[in-house]
């Protein structure tokens, strides 16, 4: 009882603090089928939950002890087939729908997508743009230095000379273009993190020693929050970043201003 009240209180306090009781407003094209599948799944499991719990309550009341002899019956083929086949068909349908959506989310990004790198570390995010040459410079972890070389770029690689590195947790933001697909290549410096943008319905792990990828298309201009969705240490809860979605002209002007003369 006390635990239930505590949980209910925490839920209500969170809703009041966020001024919102449902999902954040959608801001990506890929988020629409994600939301649809989420709502269909929620509706089905809610109906199943209410049916099962309702029947349980009904039977407890119908067959309560009134001094009668307990009755018993064994096997009911039609009933057993129904409660086996119906859930199996529903679960298969959900699995097929989810697998199709998963395949679409993890497909190759369309040509012409903006490509950015995002690096997670305890407890913040950095972003890298390839610069005017359109190519990312080589990375060598041994060259890492927290202030001088936070992305561990190899200065011997000419492709990296014009790379633009930004701290998107504090001073800057990850700038993206509205209605233009973006491929995010994820790296992690220390432990496993997860790149989570609730407004885009995007979540992808960042794993040390490998590059993971995800792509999506922002559909609304505005400022959005990146949250780390993998418990990564004592300050995990402050691990945030900022995304600014703007028009192509605004983005070009911003990028031109970042590139040092
Ligand atoms: Cu993290």
């Amino acid at each position: 009882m006390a635990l239930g009240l505590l949980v209910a209180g925490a839920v209500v306090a969170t809703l009041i603090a966020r001024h919102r009781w449902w999902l954040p407003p959608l801001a990506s094209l890929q988020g629409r089928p994600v939301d649809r599948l989420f709502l269909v799944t929620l509706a089905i499991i809610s109906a199943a939950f209410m049916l099962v719990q309702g029947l349980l309550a009904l039977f407890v009341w119908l067959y309560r002890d009134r001094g009668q002899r307990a009755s018993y019956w064994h096997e009911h083929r039609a009933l057993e087939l129904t409660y086996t086949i119906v859930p199996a068909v529903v679960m298969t349908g959900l699995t097929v729908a989810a697998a199709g959506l998963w395949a679409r989310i993890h497909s190759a990004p369309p040509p012409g997508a903006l490509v950015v790198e995002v690096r997670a570390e305890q407890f913040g995010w950095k972003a890298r743009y390839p610069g005017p040459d359109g190519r990312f410079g080589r990375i060598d972890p041994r060259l890492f230095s927290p202030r001088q070389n936070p992305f561990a770029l190899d200065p011997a690689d000419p492709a990296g000379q014009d790379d633009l590195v930004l701290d998107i947790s504090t001073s800057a933001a990850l700038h993206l273009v509205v209605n233009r697909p973006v491929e995010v290549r994820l790296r992690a410096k220390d432990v496993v993190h997860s790149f989570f943008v609730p407004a885009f319905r995007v979540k992808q792990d960042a794993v040390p020693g490998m590059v993971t990828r995800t792509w999506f298309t922002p559909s609304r201009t505005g400022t959005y929050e990146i949250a780390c969705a993998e418990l990564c240490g004592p300050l995990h809860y402050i691990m945030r970043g900022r995304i600014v979605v703007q028009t192509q002209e605004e983005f070009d002007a911003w990028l031109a201003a970042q590139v040092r003369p």
Side-chain angles (χ1 to χ4, degrees), residues 6-219:
L6 198 67
V7 171
V11 169
V12 171
T14 307
L15 295 180
I16 292 171
R18 284 163 38 113
H19 303 292
R20 193 192 305 136
W21 71 279
W22 198 234
L23 304 172
L26 182 63
S28 80
L29 294 183
Q30 283 76 4
R32 190 152 302 146
V34 173
D35 281 4
R36 203 179 306 131
L37 185 62
F38 173 78
L39 289 175
V40 168
T41 309
L42 186 65
I44 290 173
I45 59 173
S46 301
F49 176 81
M50 284 190 280
L51 178 71
V52 170
Q53 298 303 313
L55 282 177
L56 183 63
L58 179 70
F59 291 160
V60 165
W61 182 77
L62 272 183
Y63 304 113
R64 64 193 182 279
D65 182 15
R66 282 175 292 189
Q68 78 278 38
R69 271 181 70 86
S71 59
Y72 170 80
W73 92 84
H74 190 68
E75 286 186 11
H76 190 302
R77 174 142 317 161
L79 200 59
E80 286 167 11
L81 280 174
T82 305
Y83 70 61
T84 304
I85 291 173
V86 170
V89 168
V90 171
M91 294 310 287
T92 305
L94 283 179
T95 305
V96 169
L101 181 56
W102 181 262
R104 261 189 288 160
I105 288 172
H106 290 272
S107 60
L114 181 70
V115 181
V116 294
E117 254 191 27
V118 171
R119 201 197 55 182
E121 63 181 12
Q122 290 171 321
F123 296 94
W125 303 91
K126 287 192 173 54
R128 177 163 72 130
Y129 290 80
D133 68 352
R135 292 191 302 138
F136 288 109
R138 202 168 34 240
I139 281 181
D140 183 346
R142 287 168 299 187
L143 300 172
F144 171 79
S145 145
R147 290 197 186 281
Q148 270 83 39
N149 196 358
F151 230 100
L153 289 170
D154 181 354
D157 181 6
Q161 304 280 319
D162 62 350
D163 286 6
L164 173 65
V165 174
L166 300 167
D167 186 333
I168 57 172
S169 284
T170 53
S171 52
L174 178 67
H175 287 244
L176 302 176
V177 181
V178 68
N179 293 325
R180 180 170 172 197
V182 55
E183 179 186 346
V184 179
R185 298 181 184 169
L186 287 160
R187 293 172 183 269
K189 180 186 140 196
D190 34 41
V191 297
V192 178
H193 301 270
S194 183
F195 176 80
F196 178 34
V197 188
F200 298 162
R201 315 294 193 255
V202 164
K203 191 184 275 177
Q204 174 64 53
D205 274 4
V207 184
M210 64 191 287
V211 178
T212 53
R213 291 154 201 263
T214 185
W215 76 272
F216 52 90
T217 310
S219 58

